[in-house]
Amino acid sequence: MTVSIELADDATILCIGAHCDDIEIGCGATLRRWAREFPSVRFVWVIFAGEAGRMAESRAAAEEILSGVASSEVIFFEFRGSYFPDQYGEIKDAFERLKRFAPAVVLTHHLEDRHQDHRVLAELTWNTFRSHLILEYEIPKYEGDLGHPNFFVAASEADVQFKADMLLRCFPSQHSRSWFTAQTFCALARIRGVECAAASGYAEAFHARKLHV
């Protein structure tokens, strides 16, 4: 089944990421598409482990992805990466401050993600935004926890290639990671495109646990 998302001009899309490249990896092509389709919507980008040396990378990536939108904001918290379970109370307080955005759509980590930081943010997203459309994005990693997503956003081949190129260009700090390659990002998008029969052959996939029409 194919459905479309419609957003009012004053709507907000809230993007939540644990680390400085998570949002871009998980939904960069989708955000690129939505930035074109909904240029009047406000995009809010929130990163919880804002490492001093990497924040500039995230800002550059967000600017490229959201080029042309009327309103965007990038917010950094400075929680200690890889230790989110020990900072649960403080991170919960930070989520409470995000309620003011009253988002129409929230993009966050997958609840079954095996990275402890990702999982904590997914749990708190559901705790904080119970009456919102929440889409959990996926991040390829060693643990092999991609699962079986049930919500797909078709992406053009150009947007997928843009995403791969942007990640390599904007995040030089990650070049030493063996999996951080254009082939990884394009391959996953190709597989998800096959699964949803996207006309372009490419898609990004999400877990949508509760939808109502």
Side-chain angles (χ1 to χ4, degrees):
M1 182 194 312
T2 300
V3 298
S4 60
I5 290 179
E6 295 185 6
L7 296 171
D9 287 346
D10 61 349
T12 295
I13 294 175
L14 177 61
C15 311
I16 292 172
H19 313 103
C20 284
D21 54 5
D22 288 341
I23 296 168
E24 295 86 346
I25 292 172
C27 51
T30 296
L31 291 172
R32 176 78 167 175
R33 173 181 166 179
W34 286 355
R36 288 195 306 271
E37 294 180 350
F38 309 114
S40 299
V41 166
R42 176 172 59 169
F43 291 80
V44 178
W45 208 276
V46 184
I47 298 165
F48 280 77
E51 303 170 45
R54 298 185 61 198
M55 287 191 278
E57 295 179 332
S58 290
R59 288 191 185 280
E63 287 177 5
E64 288 200 24
I65 293 172
L66 302 178
S67 175
V69 304
S71 177
S72 64
E73 181 176 357
V74 180
I75 298 171
F76 293 100
F77 295 109
E78 296 185 19
F79 294 102
R80 186 183 181 190
S82 300
Y83 290 84
F84 281 16
D86 290 336
Q87 305 167 85
Y88 199 94
E90 294 85 353
I91 295 174
K92 166 65 174 172
D93 291 340
F95 265 87
E96 289 297 307
R97 296 198 291 275
L98 298 180
K99 286 182 177 179
R100 63 189 173 89
F101 292 112
V105 182
V106 183
L107 298 167
T108 193
H109 291 280
H110 181 207
L111 269 172
E112 275 75 52
D113 194 311
R114 290 183 183 146
H115 191 298
Q116 65 276 8
D117 293 353
H118 299 179
R119 192 166 56 251
V120 164
L121 295 193
E123 290 172 356
L124 286 171
T125 298
W126 278 100
N127 178 267
T128 307
F129 299 105
R130 297 183 180 184
S131 301
H132 304 72
L133 172 60
I134 297 174
L135 300 177
E136 302 169 15
Y137 57 77
E138 56 182 0
I139 295 179
K141 65 174 79 66
Y142 176 81
E143 288 80 4
D145 55 12
L146 293 177
H148 301 282
N150 60 355
F151 189 99
F152 298 83
V153 178
S156 68
E157 183 174 0
D159 279 351
V160 171
Q161 191 60 57
F162 164 85
K163 169 184 170 177
D165 292 345
M166 173 273 301
L167 283 163
L168 296 178
R169 182 171 57 254
C170 292
F171 293 96
S173 66
Q174 305 305 294
H175 287 183
S176 63
R177 299 180 182 275
S178 61
W179 59 270
F180 199 91
T181 66
Q183 291 91 333
T184 299
F185 307 126
C186 293
L188 181 56
R190 181 71 180 100
I191 290 169
R192 296 315 191 197
V194 169
E195 290 179 339
C196 69
S200 66
Y202 294 91
E204 286 183 329
F206 303 84
H207 297 264
R209 298 176 189 275
K210 292 185 179 183
L211 299 172
H212 68 83
V213 296

